[in-house]
mmCIF file of all heavy atoms in Angstrom:
data_model
loop_
_atom_site.group_PDB
_atom_site.id
_atom_site.type_symbol
_atom_site.label_atom_id
_atom_site.label_comp_id
_atom_site.label_asym_id
_atom_site.label_seq_id
_atom_site.Cartn_x
_atom_site.Cartn_y
_atom_site.Cartn_z
ATOM 1 N N TYR A 289 -20.845 5.999 -7.344
ATOM 2 C CA TYR A 289 -21.023 4.778 -8.135
ATOM 3 C C TYR A 289 -19.672 4.242 -8.582
ATOM 4 O O TYR A 289 -19.365 3.075 -8.429
ATOM 5 C CB TYR A 289 -21.889 5.043 -9.371
ATOM 6 C CG TYR A 289 -23.345 5.184 -9.039
ATOM 7 C CD1 TYR A 289 -23.927 6.429 -8.892
ATOM 8 C CD2 TYR A 289 -24.142 4.058 -8.864
ATOM 9 C CE1 TYR A 289 -25.264 6.569 -8.575
ATOM 10 C CE2 TYR A 289 -25.481 4.175 -8.548
ATOM 11 C CZ TYR A 289 -26.043 5.438 -8.405
ATOM 12 O OH TYR A 289 -27.350 5.564 -8.080
ATOM 13 N N VAL A 290 -18.854 5.137 -9.147
ATOM 14 C CA VAL A 290 -17.540 4.717 -9.639
ATOM 15 C C VAL A 290 -16.755 4.068 -8.498
ATOM 16 O O VAL A 290 -16.125 3.031 -8.670
ATOM 17 C CB VAL A 290 -16.757 5.908 -10.224
ATOM 18 C CG1 VAL A 290 -15.341 5.480 -10.591
ATOM 19 C CG2 VAL A 290 -17.468 6.460 -11.441
ATOM 20 N N GLY A 291 -16.833 4.689 -7.315
ATOM 21 C CA GLY A 291 -16.114 4.161 -6.153
ATOM 22 C C GLY A 291 -16.562 2.745 -5.824
ATOM 23 O O GLY A 291 -15.747 1.874 -5.534
ATOM 24 N N ARG A 292 -17.871 2.523 -5.914
ATOM 25 C CA ARG A 292 -18.372 1.184 -5.592
ATOM 26 C C ARG A 292 -17.998 0.173 -6.664
ATOM 27 O O ARG A 292 -17.653 -0.970 -6.378
ATOM 28 C CB ARG A 292 -19.883 1.231 -5.398
ATOM 29 C CG ARG A 292 -20.222 1.698 -4.006
ATOM 30 C CD ARG A 292 -21.642 2.124 -3.859
ATOM 31 N NE ARG A 292 -21.878 2.644 -2.523
ATOM 32 C CZ ARG A 292 -21.400 3.768 -2.049
ATOM 33 N NH1 ARG A 292 -20.631 4.527 -2.812
ATOM 34 N NH2 ARG A 292 -21.658 4.160 -0.821
ATOM 35 N N ILE A 293 -18.072 0.622 -7.932
ATOM 36 C CA ILE A 293 -17.661 -0.276 -9.028
ATOM 37 C C ILE A 293 -16.193 -0.642 -8.832
ATOM 38 O O ILE A 293 -15.804 -1.797 -8.919
ATOM 39 C CB ILE A 293 -17.850 0.410 -10.401
ATOM 40 C CG1 ILE A 293 -19.333 0.631 -10.661
ATOM 41 C CG2 ILE A 293 -17.255 -0.449 -11.509
ATOM 42 C CD1 ILE A 293 -19.623 1.511 -11.848
ATOM 43 N N HIS A 294 -15.397 0.366 -8.505
ATOM 44 C CA HIS A 294 -13.973 0.151 -8.253
ATOM 45 C C HIS A 294 -13.797 -0.884 -7.146
ATOM 46 O O HIS A 294 -12.996 -1.795 -7.234
ATOM 47 C CB HIS A 294 -13.333 1.491 -7.883
ATOM 48 C CG HIS A 294 -11.869 1.401 -7.627
ATOM 49 N ND1 HIS A 294 -11.251 2.133 -6.648
ATOM 50 C CD2 HIS A 294 -10.915 0.650 -8.191
ATOM 51 C CE1 HIS A 294 -9.979 1.832 -6.649
ATOM 52 N NE2 HIS A 294 -9.739 0.948 -7.580
ATOM 53 N N GLY A 295 -14.608 -0.738 -6.103
ATOM 54 C CA GLY A 295 -14.538 -1.684 -4.989
ATOM 55 C C GLY A 295 -14.890 -3.096 -5.436
ATOM 56 O O GLY A 295 -14.230 -4.067 -5.069
ATOM 57 N N ASP A 296 -15.907 -3.189 -6.279
ATOM 58 C CA ASP A 296 -16.360 -4.515 -6.710
ATOM 59 C C ASP A 296 -15.385 -5.185 -7.663
ATOM 60 O O ASP A 296 -15.128 -6.374 -7.553
ATOM 61 C CB ASP A 296 -17.725 -4.404 -7.397
ATOM 62 C CG ASP A 296 -18.822 -4.252 -6.368
ATOM 63 O OD1 ASP A 296 -18.515 -4.442 -5.174
ATOM 64 O OD2 ASP A 296 -19.951 -3.945 -6.735
ATOM 65 N N VAL A 297 -14.856 -4.429 -8.617
ATOM 66 C CA VAL A 297 -13.957 -5.077 -9.564
ATOM 67 C C VAL A 297 -12.686 -5.542 -8.870
ATOM 68 O O VAL A 297 -12.011 -6.436 -9.350
ATOM 69 C CB VAL A 297 -13.593 -4.192 -10.786
ATOM 70 C CG1 VAL A 297 -14.823 -3.887 -11.606
ATOM 71 C CG2 VAL A 297 -12.903 -2.924 -10.371
ATOM 72 N N ARG A 298 -12.366 -4.948 -7.719
ATOM 73 C CA ARG A 298 -11.180 -5.398 -7.001
ATOM 74 C C ARG A 298 -11.393 -6.761 -6.386
ATOM 75 O O ARG A 298 -10.456 -7.493 -6.118
ATOM 76 C CB ARG A 298 -10.806 -4.394 -5.911
ATOM 77 C CG ARG A 298 -10.081 -3.203 -6.475
ATOM 78 C CD ARG A 298 -9.599 -2.305 -5.394
ATOM 79 N NE ARG A 298 -10.705 -1.718 -4.663
ATOM 80 C CZ ARG A 298 -10.549 -0.700 -3.816
ATOM 81 N NH1 ARG A 298 -9.375 -0.197 -3.596
ATOM 82 N NH2 ARG A 298 -11.592 -0.199 -3.190
ATOM 83 N N GLU A 299 -12.663 -7.102 -6.134
ATOM 84 C CA GLU A 299 -13.000 -8.405 -5.558
ATOM 85 C C GLU A 299 -12.182 -8.755 -4.339
ATOM 86 O O GLU A 299 -11.673 -9.857 -4.203
ATOM 87 C CB GLU A 299 -12.803 -9.507 -6.613
ATOM 88 C CG GLU A 299 -13.854 -9.502 -7.688
ATOM 89 C CD GLU A 299 -13.645 -10.659 -8.653
ATOM 90 O OE1 GLU A 299 -13.335 -11.764 -8.184
ATOM 91 O OE2 GLU A 299 -13.776 -10.445 -9.863
ATOM 92 N N ARG A 300 -12.011 -7.787 -3.458
ATOM 93 C CA ARG A 300 -11.312 -8.113 -2.213
ATOM 94 C C ARG A 300 -12.191 -9.019 -1.370
ATOM 95 O O ARG A 300 -13.396 -8.862 -1.358
ATOM 96 C CB ARG A 300 -11.065 -6.835 -1.412
ATOM 97 C CG ARG A 300 -9.919 -6.035 -1.922
ATOM 98 C CD ARG A 300 -9.827 -4.769 -1.135
ATOM 99 N NE ARG A 300 -8.687 -3.975 -1.547
ATOM 100 C CZ ARG A 300 -8.440 -2.769 -1.076
ATOM 101 N NH1 ARG A 300 -9.238 -2.219 -0.201
ATOM 102 N NH2 ARG A 300 -7.391 -2.116 -1.485
ATOM 103 N N PRO A 301 -11.584 -9.965 -0.684
ATOM 104 C CA PRO A 301 -12.399 -10.773 0.221
ATOM 105 C C PRO A 301 -12.947 -9.868 1.314
ATOM 106 O O PRO A 301 -12.297 -8.896 1.701
ATOM 107 C CB PRO A 301 -11.407 -11.773 0.784
ATOM 108 C CG PRO A 301 -10.083 -11.134 0.628
ATOM 109 C CD PRO A 301 -10.164 -10.266 -0.569
ATOM 110 N N ARG A 302 -14.136 -10.159 1.792
ATOM 111 C CA ARG A 302 -14.766 -9.252 2.745
ATOM 112 C C ARG A 302 -14.267 -9.455 4.166
ATOM 113 O O ARG A 302 -14.400 -8.602 5.006
ATOM 114 C CB ARG A 302 -16.267 -9.413 2.699
ATOM 115 C CG ARG A 302 -16.812 -8.958 1.378
ATOM 116 C CD ARG A 302 -18.258 -8.603 1.440
ATOM 117 N NE ARG A 302 -18.614 -7.989 0.189
ATOM 118 C CZ ARG A 302 -18.658 -8.638 -0.958
ATOM 119 N NH1 ARG A 302 -18.374 -9.916 -0.987
ATOM 120 N NH2 ARG A 302 -18.970 -8.018 -2.067
ATOM 121 N N TYR A 303 -13.765 -10.632 4.453
ATOM 122 C CA TYR A 303 -13.273 -10.883 5.802
ATOM 123 C C TYR A 303 -12.231 -11.987 5.767
ATOM 124 O O TYR A 303 -12.067 -12.650 4.736
ATOM 125 C CB TYR A 303 -14.424 -11.311 6.725
ATOM 126 C CG TYR A 303 -15.172 -12.477 6.184
ATOM 127 C CD1 TYR A 303 -14.686 -13.771 6.353
ATOM 128 C CD2 TYR A 303 -16.344 -12.295 5.463
ATOM 129 C CE1 TYR A 303 -15.345 -14.844 5.820
ATOM 130 C CE2 TYR A 303 -17.020 -13.367 4.927
ATOM 131 C CZ TYR A 303 -16.522 -14.643 5.109
ATOM 132 O OH TYR A 303 -17.169 -15.718 4.574
ATOM 133 N N LEU A 304 -11.564 -12.136 6.855
ATOM 134 C CA LEU A 304 -10.562 -13.191 6.972
ATOM 135 C C LEU A 304 -10.927 -14.005 8.204
ATOM 136 O O LEU A 304 -10.883 -13.509 9.324
ATOM 137 C CB LEU A 304 -9.186 -12.544 7.120
ATOM 138 C CG LEU A 304 -8.002 -13.448 7.410
ATOM 139 C CD1 LEU A 304 -7.822 -14.468 6.300
ATOM 140 C CD2 LEU A 304 -6.741 -12.616 7.551
ATOM 141 N N LEU A 305 -11.330 -15.236 7.988
ATOM 142 C CA LEU A 305 -11.797 -16.087 9.084
ATOM 143 C C LEU A 305 -10.611 -16.642 9.852
ATOM 144 O O LEU A 305 -9.677 -17.171 9.253
ATOM 145 C CB LEU A 305 -12.642 -17.220 8.500
ATOM 146 C CG LEU A 305 -13.349 -18.132 9.479
ATOM 147 C CD1 LEU A 305 -14.304 -17.351 10.360
ATOM 148 C CD2 LEU A 305 -14.089 -19.221 8.716
ATOM 149 N N ASP A 306 -10.618 -16.511 11.163
ATOM 150 C CA ASP A 306 -9.498 -16.999 11.961
ATOM 151 C C ASP A 306 -9.688 -18.475 12.304
ATOM 152 O O ASP A 306 -8.895 -19.320 11.946
ATOM 153 C CB ASP A 306 -9.358 -16.143 13.207
ATOM 154 C CG ASP A 306 -8.070 -16.461 13.949
ATOM 155 O OD1 ASP A 306 -7.180 -17.134 13.372
ATOM 156 O OD2 ASP A 306 -7.955 -16.087 15.124
ATOM 157 N N ARG A 307 -10.735 -18.787 13.017
ATOM 158 C CA ARG A 307 -11.016 -20.202 13.312
ATOM 159 C C ARG A 307 -12.487 -20.364 13.622
ATOM 160 O O ARG A 307 -13.189 -19.387 13.836
ATOM 161 C CB ARG A 307 -10.167 -20.690 14.484
ATOM 162 C CG ARG A 307 -10.398 -19.897 15.734
ATOM 163 C CD ARG A 307 -9.284 -20.118 16.726
ATOM 164 N NE ARG A 307 -9.292 -19.018 17.682
ATOM 165 C CZ ARG A 307 -9.244 -19.194 18.993
ATOM 166 N NH1 ARG A 307 -9.174 -20.393 19.495
ATOM 167 N NH2 ARG A 307 -9.248 -18.151 19.795
ATOM 168 N N VAL A 308 -12.949 -21.592 13.662
ATOM 169 C CA VAL A 308 -14.351 -21.873 13.945
ATOM 170 C C VAL A 308 -14.418 -22.673 15.240
ATOM 171 O O VAL A 308 -13.687 -23.641 15.412
ATOM 172 C CB VAL A 308 -14.978 -22.687 12.793
ATOM 173 C CG1 VAL A 308 -16.452 -22.952 13.058
ATOM 174 C CG2 VAL A 308 -14.786 -21.959 11.478
ATOM 175 N N VAL A 309 -15.259 -22.221 16.173
ATOM 176 C CA VAL A 309 -15.389 -22.956 17.430
ATOM 177 C C VAL A 309 -16.810 -23.492 17.552
ATOM 178 O O VAL A 309 -17.770 -22.769 17.341
ATOM 179 C CB VAL A 309 -15.086 -22.027 18.633
ATOM 180 C CG1 VAL A 309 -15.198 -22.806 19.937
ATOM 181 C CG2 VAL A 309 -13.710 -21.411 18.474
ATOM 182 N N GLY A 310 -16.947 -24.746 17.877
ATOM 183 C CA GLY A 310 -18.263 -25.345 18.065
ATOM 184 C C GLY A 310 -18.889 -25.744 16.738
ATOM 185 O O GLY A 310 -18.520 -25.213 15.691
ATOM 186 N N ASP A 311 -19.802 -26.706 16.757
ATOM 187 C CA ASP A 311 -20.502 -27.042 15.519
ATOM 188 C C ASP A 311 -21.996 -27.036 15.773
ATOM 189 O O ASP A 311 -22.458 -27.099 16.903
ATOM 190 C CB ASP A 311 -20.019 -28.372 14.942
ATOM 191 C CG ASP A 311 -19.850 -29.443 15.995
ATOM 192 O OD1 ASP A 311 -20.356 -29.239 17.136
ATOM 193 O OD2 ASP A 311 -19.246 -30.469 15.711
ATOM 194 N N THR A 312 -22.774 -26.905 14.718
ATOM 195 C CA THR A 312 -24.211 -26.680 14.882
ATOM 196 C C THR A 312 -25.022 -27.561 13.955
ATOM 197 O O THR A 312 -24.521 -28.096 12.972
ATOM 198 C CB THR A 312 -24.554 -25.220 14.541
ATOM 199 O OG1 THR A 312 -23.943 -24.918 13.307
ATOM 200 C CG2 THR A 312 -24.060 -24.266 15.606
#
Side-chain angles (χ1 to χ4, degrees):
Y289 285 98
V290 174
R292 278 164 184 69
I293 294 170
H294 181 217
D296 282 349
V297 296
R298 281 186 295 193
E299 287 183 42
R300 282 176 177 175
R302 294 202 171 68
Y303 55 81
L304 173 60
L305 186 60
D306 190 14
R307 59 197 160 131
V308 182
V309 181
D311 43 14
T312 49

